CSV table of all heavy atoms in Angstrom, one decimal:
chain,number,residue,atom,x,y,z
A,4,SER,N,12.0,-7.4,-6.7
A,4,SER,CA,11.1,-6.3,-6.8
A,4,SER,C,10.5,-6.2,-8.3
A,4,SER,O,9.3,-5.8,-8.4
A,4,SER,CB,11.8,-5.0,-6.5
A,4,SER,OG,10.9,-3.9,-6.5
A,5,SER,N,11.3,-6.5,-9.3
A,5,SER,CA,10.8,-6.4,-10.7
A,5,SER,C,9.7,-7.4,-11.0
A,5,SER,O,8.9,-7.2,-11.9
A,5,SER,CB,11.9,-6.6,-11.7
A,5,SER,OG,12.5,-7.9,-11.5
A,6,SER,N,9.5,-8.5,-10.2
A,6,SER,CA,8.5,-9.4,-10.5
A,6,SER,C,7.3,-9.3,-9.6
A,6,SER,O,6.4,-10.1,-9.7
A,6,SER,CB,9.1,-10.9,-10.4
A,6,SER,OG,9.5,-11.2,-9.1
A,7,ILE,N,7.3,-8.3,-8.7
A,7,ILE,CA,6.1,-8.2,-7.7
A,7,ILE,C,5.1,-7.4,-8.5
A,7,ILE,O,5.4,-6.3,-9.1
A,7,ILE,CB,6.6,-7.4,-6.5
A,7,ILE,CG1,7.6,-8.3,-5.7
A,7,ILE,CG2,5.4,-7.1,-5.6
A,7,ILE,CD1,8.2,-7.6,-4.4
A,8,PRO,N,3.8,-7.8,-8.5
A,8,PRO,CA,2.8,-7.1,-9.2
A,8,PRO,C,2.3,-5.9,-8.3
A,8,PRO,O,1.3,-6.1,-7.5
A,8,PRO,CB,1.7,-8.2,-9.4
A,8,PRO,CG,2.0,-9.2,-8.3
A,8,PRO,CD,3.4,-9.1,-8.0
A,9,TRP,N,2.9,-4.8,-8.4
A,9,TRP,CA,2.4,-3.6,-7.6
A,9,TRP,C,1.2,-3.0,-8.2
A,9,TRP,O,1.0,-2.9,-9.4
A,9,TRP,CB,3.6,-2.6,-7.6
A,9,TRP,CG,4.7,-3.0,-6.9
A,9,TRP,CD1,5.9,-3.6,-7.4
A,9,TRP,CD2,5.0,-3.0,-5.5
A,9,TRP,NE1,6.8,-3.9,-6.4
A,9,TRP,CE2,6.2,-3.5,-5.2
A,9,TRP,CE3,4.2,-2.6,-4.4
A,9,TRP,CZ2,6.7,-3.6,-3.9
A,9,TRP,CZ3,4.7,-2.7,-3.1
A,9,TRP,CH2,5.9,-3.2,-2.9
A,10,HIS,N,0.3,-2.4,-7.4
A,10,HIS,CA,-0.9,-1.8,-7.8
A,10,HIS,C,-1.0,-0.4,-7.2
A,10,HIS,O,-0.9,-0.3,-6.0
A,10,HIS,CB,-2.2,-2.7,-7.4
A,10,HIS,CG,-2.1,-4.0,-7.9
A,10,HIS,ND1,-2.5,-4.3,-9.2
A,10,HIS,CD2,-1.7,-5.2,-7.4
A,10,HIS,CE1,-2.3,-5.6,-9.5
A,10,HIS,NE2,-1.9,-6.2,-8.4
A,11,ARG,N,-1.3,0.6,-8.0
A,11,ARG,CA,-1.4,2.0,-7.6
A,11,ARG,C,-2.8,2.3,-7.4
A,11,ARG,O,-3.7,1.9,-8.1
A,11,ARG,CB,-0.7,2.9,-8.6
A,11,ARG,CG,-0.7,4.3,-8.1
A,11,ARG,CD,0.1,5.2,-9.1
A,11,ARG,NE,1.5,4.7,-9.1
A,11,ARG,CZ,2.4,5.4,-9.8
A,11,ARG,NH1,2.2,6.4,-10.5
A,11,ARG,NH2,3.7,4.9,-9.7
A,12,SER,N,-3.1,3.2,-6.5
A,12,SER,CA,-4.4,3.6,-6.2
A,12,SER,C,-5.0,4.3,-7.4
A,12,SER,O,-4.4,5.0,-8.1
A,12,SER,CB,-4.4,4.6,-5.0
A,12,SER,OG,-5.7,5.3,-4.9
A,13,SER,N,-6.3,4.1,-7.6
A,13,SER,CA,-7.0,4.7,-8.7
A,13,SER,C,-7.2,6.3,-8.4
A,13,SER,O,-7.5,7.0,-9.3
A,13,SER,CB,-8.5,4.1,-8.8
A,13,SER,OG,-9.2,4.3,-7.6
A,14,TYR,N,-6.8,6.7,-7.2
A,14,TYR,CA,-6.9,8.1,-6.9
A,14,TYR,C,-5.6,8.8,-7.3
A,14,TYR,O,-5.5,10.0,-7.2
A,14,TYR,CB,-7.0,8.3,-5.4
A,14,TYR,CG,-8.5,8.0,-4.9
A,14,TYR,CD1,-8.7,6.7,-4.3
A,14,TYR,CD2,-9.5,8.9,-5.1
A,14,TYR,CE1,-10.0,6.4,-3.9
A,14,TYR,CE2,-10.8,8.6,-4.6
A,14,TYR,CZ,-11.0,7.3,-4.1
A,14,TYR,OH,-12.3,7.1,-3.7
A,15,SER,N,-4.6,8.1,-7.7
A,15,SER,CA,-3.4,8.7,-8.1
A,15,SER,C,-3.5,9.3,-9.5
A,15,SER,O,-4.1,8.7,-10.4
A,15,SER,CB,-2.3,7.6,-8.2
A,15,SER,OG,-1.1,8.2,-8.7
A,16,ASN,N,-3.1,10.5,-9.7
A,16,ASN,CA,-3.2,11.2,-11.0
A,16,ASN,C,-2.0,11.2,-11.9
A,16,ASN,O,-2.0,11.8,-12.9
A,16,ASN,CB,-3.8,12.6,-10.7
A,16,ASN,CG,-2.7,13.5,-10.0
A,16,ASN,OD1,-1.6,13.1,-9.8
A,16,ASN,ND2,-3.2,14.7,-9.6
A,17,GLY,N,-0.9,10.6,-11.4
A,17,GLY,CA,0.3,10.6,-12.2
A,17,GLY,C,1.0,11.9,-12.2
A,17,GLY,O,1.9,12.1,-13.0
A,18,MET,N,0.6,12.9,-11.4
A,18,MET,CA,1.3,14.2,-11.5
A,18,MET,C,2.3,14.4,-10.3
A,18,MET,O,2.5,15.5,-9.9
A,18,MET,CB,0.2,15.3,-11.3
A,18,MET,CG,-0.9,15.2,-12.4
A,18,MET,SD,-0.2,15.5,-14.0
A,18,MET,CE,0.1,17.2,-14.0
A,19,GLY,N,2.7,13.3,-9.7
A,19,GLY,CA,3.7,13.4,-8.6
A,19,GLY,C,3.1,13.6,-7.2
A,19,GLY,O,3.8,14.0,-6.3
A,20,GLY,N,1.9,13.3,-7.1
A,20,GLY,CA,1.2,13.5,-5.8
A,20,GLY,C,1.6,12.4,-4.8
A,20,GLY,O,2.3,11.5,-5.1
A,21,GLU,N,1.0,12.5,-3.6
A,21,GLU,CA,1.3,11.5,-2.6
A,21,GLU,C,0.5,10.2,-3.0
A,21,GLU,O,-0.7,10.3,-3.1
A,21,GLU,CB,0.8,12.0,-1.2
A,21,GLU,CG,1.5,13.4,-0.9
A,21,GLU,CD,2.9,13.3,-0.7
A,21,GLU,OE1,3.5,12.3,-0.2
A,21,GLU,OE2,3.6,14.3,-1.0
A,22,CYS,N,1.2,9.1,-3.1
A,22,CYS,CA,0.5,7.9,-3.5
A,22,CYS,C,1.3,6.7,-3.0
A,22,CYS,O,2.6,6.7,-3.0
A,22,CYS,CB,0.2,7.8,-5.0
A,22,CYS,SG,-0.8,6.4,-5.4
A,23,LEU,N,0.6,5.7,-2.6
A,23,LEU,CA,1.2,4.4,-2.2
A,23,LEU,C,0.9,3.4,-3.3
A,23,LEU,O,-0.2,3.4,-3.9
A,23,LEU,CB,0.7,4.0,-0.8
A,23,LEU,CG,1.1,4.8,0.3
A,23,LEU,CD1,0.5,4.3,1.6
A,23,LEU,CD2,2.6,5.0,0.5
A,24,GLU,N,1.7,2.3,-3.3
A,24,GLU,CA,1.4,1.2,-4.1
A,24,GLU,C,1.4,-0.1,-3.2
A,24,GLU,O,2.1,-0.1,-2.2
A,24,GLU,CB,2.4,0.9,-5.2
A,24,GLU,CG,2.5,2.1,-6.2
A,24,GLU,CD,3.6,1.9,-7.2
A,24,GLU,OE1,4.7,1.4,-6.9
A,24,GLU,OE2,3.4,2.3,-8.4
A,25,VAL,N,0.6,-1.0,-3.5
A,25,VAL,CA,0.5,-2.2,-2.7
A,25,VAL,C,0.7,-3.4,-3.6
A,25,VAL,O,0.4,-3.4,-4.8
A,25,VAL,CB,-0.9,-2.3,-1.9
A,25,VAL,CG1,-1.0,-1.2,-0.9
A,25,VAL,CG2,-2.0,-2.4,-2.8
A,26,ALA,N,1.1,-4.5,-3.0
A,26,ALA,CA,1.3,-5.7,-3.7
A,26,ALA,C,1.0,-6.9,-2.7
A,26,ALA,O,1.4,-6.9,-1.6
A,26,ALA,CB,2.8,-5.9,-4.2
A,27,ALA,N,0.2,-7.8,-3.3
A,27,ALA,CA,-0.1,-9.1,-2.5
A,27,ALA,C,1.0,-10.1,-2.7
A,27,ALA,O,1.2,-10.5,-3.8
A,27,ALA,CB,-1.5,-9.6,-2.9
A,28,LEU,N,1.7,-10.4,-1.6
A,28,LEU,CA,2.7,-11.5,-1.7
A,28,LEU,C,2.0,-12.8,-1.2
A,28,LEU,O,0.9,-12.8,-0.9
A,28,LEU,CB,3.9,-11.1,-0.8
A,28,LEU,CG,4.5,-9.7,-1.1
A,28,LEU,CD1,5.5,-9.4,-0.1
A,28,LEU,CD2,4.9,-9.7,-2.5
A,29,THR,N,2.8,-13.8,-1.2
A,29,THR,CA,2.3,-15.2,-0.8
A,29,THR,C,1.5,-15.1,0.6
A,29,THR,O,0.4,-15.6,0.8
A,29,THR,CB,3.4,-16.2,-0.8
A,29,THR,OG1,4.0,-16.2,-2.0
A,29,THR,CG2,2.8,-17.6,-0.4
A,30,SER,N,2.2,-14.5,1.6
A,30,SER,CA,1.6,-14.5,2.9
A,30,SER,C,1.7,-13.1,3.6
A,30,SER,O,1.6,-13.1,4.8
A,30,SER,CB,2.3,-15.6,3.8
A,30,SER,OG,3.6,-15.3,3.9
A,31,ALA,N,1.8,-12.1,2.8
A,31,ALA,CA,1.9,-10.8,3.3
A,31,ALA,C,1.4,-9.7,2.3
A,31,ALA,O,1.2,-10.0,1.1
A,31,ALA,CB,3.3,-10.5,3.7
A,32,ILE,N,1.3,-8.5,2.7
A,32,ILE,CA,1.0,-7.4,1.8
A,32,ILE,C,2.2,-6.4,1.9
A,32,ILE,O,2.7,-6.0,3.0
A,32,ILE,CB,-0.2,-6.6,2.2
A,32,ILE,CG1,-1.4,-7.6,2.3
A,32,ILE,CG2,-0.5,-5.4,1.4
A,32,ILE,CD1,-1.8,-8.2,1.0
A,33,ALA,N,2.7,-6.0,0.8
A,33,ALA,CA,3.8,-5.0,0.7
A,33,ALA,C,3.3,-3.6,0.3
A,33,ALA,O,2.4,-3.6,-0.5
A,33,ALA,CB,4.9,-5.4,-0.3
A,34,VAL,N,3.8,-2.6,0.9
A,34,VAL,CA,3.5,-1.3,0.7
A,34,VAL,C,4.7,-0.4,0.4
A,34,VAL,O,5.7,-0.6,1.1
A,34,VAL,CB,2.7,-0.6,1.9
A,34,VAL,CG1,2.2,0.8,1.5
A,34,VAL,CG2,1.5,-1.5,2.3
A,35,ARG,N,4.6,0.4,-0.6
A,35,ARG,CA,5.8,1.3,-1.0
A,35,ARG,C,5.3,2.6,-1.5
A,35,ARG,O,4.1,2.8,-1.9
A,35,ARG,CB,6.7,0.6,-2.0
A,35,ARG,CG,6.1,0.6,-3.4
A,35,ARG,CD,7.1,0.0,-4.4
A,35,ARG,NE,6.5,0.0,-5.7
A,35,ARG,CZ,7.1,-0.5,-6.7
A,35,ARG,NH1,8.3,-1.1,-6.6
A,35,ARG,NH2,6.5,-0.5,-8.0
A,36,ASP,N,6.2,3.6,-1.5
A,36,ASP,CA,5.9,4.9,-2.0
A,36,ASP,C,6.0,4.9,-3.5
A,36,ASP,O,7.1,4.4,-4.0
A,36,ASP,CB,7.0,5.9,-1.4
A,36,ASP,CG,6.7,7.3,-1.8
A,36,ASP,OD1,6.1,7.6,-2.9
A,36,ASP,OD2,7.3,8.2,-1.1
A,37,SER,N,5.1,5.3,-4.2
A,37,SER,CA,5.1,5.2,-5.7
A,37,SER,C,6.1,6.1,-6.3
A,37,SER,O,6.6,5.8,-7.4
A,37,SER,CB,3.7,5.6,-6.3
A,37,SER,OG,3.4,6.9,-6.0
A,38,LYS,N,6.6,7.1,-5.6
A,38,LYS,CA,7.7,7.9,-6.2
A,38,LYS,C,9.0,7.4,-5.9
A,38,LYS,O,10.0,7.9,-6.6
A,38,LYS,CB,7.6,9.4,-5.6
A,38,LYS,CG,6.2,10.1,-5.9
A,38,LYS,CD,6.2,11.5,-5.3
A,38,LYS,CE,6.3,11.5,-3.9
A,38,LYS,NZ,5.4,10.8,-3.0
A,39,VAL,N,9.2,6.4,-5.0
A,39,VAL,CA,10.5,5.9,-4.6
A,39,VAL,C,10.4,4.4,-4.7
A,39,VAL,O,10.5,3.7,-3.7
A,39,VAL,CB,10.9,6.4,-3.2
A,39,VAL,CG1,12.4,6.0,-2.9
A,39,VAL,CG2,10.8,7.9,-3.0
A,40,THR,N,10.3,3.9,-5.9
A,40,THR,CA,10.0,2.5,-6.1
A,40,THR,C,11.1,1.6,-5.6
A,40,THR,O,10.9,0.4,-5.3
A,40,THR,CB,9.6,2.1,-7.5
A,40,THR,OG1,10.7,2.5,-8.4
A,40,THR,CG2,8.3,2.9,-7.9
A,41,ARG,N,12.4,2.1,-5.6
A,41,ARG,CA,13.5,1.2,-5.1
A,41,ARG,C,13.8,1.5,-3.6
A,41,ARG,O,14.7,1.0,-3.1
A,41,ARG,CB,14.7,1.6,-5.9
A,41,ARG,CG,14.6,1.0,-7.3
A,41,ARG,CD,15.8,1.3,-8.1
A,41,ARG,NE,15.8,0.6,-9.4
A,41,ARG,CZ,16.7,-0.3,-9.7
A,41,ARG,NH1,17.8,-0.5,-8.9
A,41,ARG,NH2,16.6,-0.9,-10.8
A,42,GLY,N,12.9,2.3,-3.0
A,42,GLY,CA,13.1,2.6,-1.6
A,42,GLY,C,12.6,1.5,-0.7
A,42,GLY,O,12.3,0.5,-1.1
A,43,PRO,N,12.5,1.9,0.6
A,43,PRO,CA,12.0,0.9,1.6
A,43,PRO,C,10.6,0.5,1.4
A,43,PRO,O,9.8,1.2,0.8
A,43,PRO,CB,12.2,1.6,2.9
A,43,PRO,CG,12.2,3.0,2.6
A,43,PRO,CD,12.8,3.2,1.2
A,44,ARG,N,10.3,-0.7,1.8
A,44,ARG,CA,8.8,-1.2,1.7
A,44,ARG,C,8.5,-1.7,3.1
A,44,ARG,O,9.3,-2.1,3.9
A,44,ARG,CB,8.8,-2.5,0.8
A,44,ARG,CG,9.1,-2.1,-0.6
A,44,ARG,CD,9.2,-3.3,-1.4
A,44,ARG,NE,10.1,-3.1,-2.5
A,44,ARG,CZ,11.1,-3.9,-2.8
A,44,ARG,NH1,11.3,-5.0,-2.1
A,44,ARG,NH2,12.0,-3.6,-3.7
Side-chain angles (χ1 to χ4, degrees):
S4 186
S5 61
S6 64
I7 295 175
W9 293 98
H10 301 279
R11 186 174 293 185
S12 168
S13 60
Y14 289 97
S15 176
N16 63 9
M18 303 296 286
E21 307 296 326
C22 188
L23 295 177
E24 295 177 328
V25 297
L28 306 176
T29 304
S30 60
I32 303 295
V34 182
R35 71 179 182 183
D36 183 337
S37 64
K38 296 180 303 305
V39 188
T40 58
R41 291 180 167 240
R44 294 177 212 126

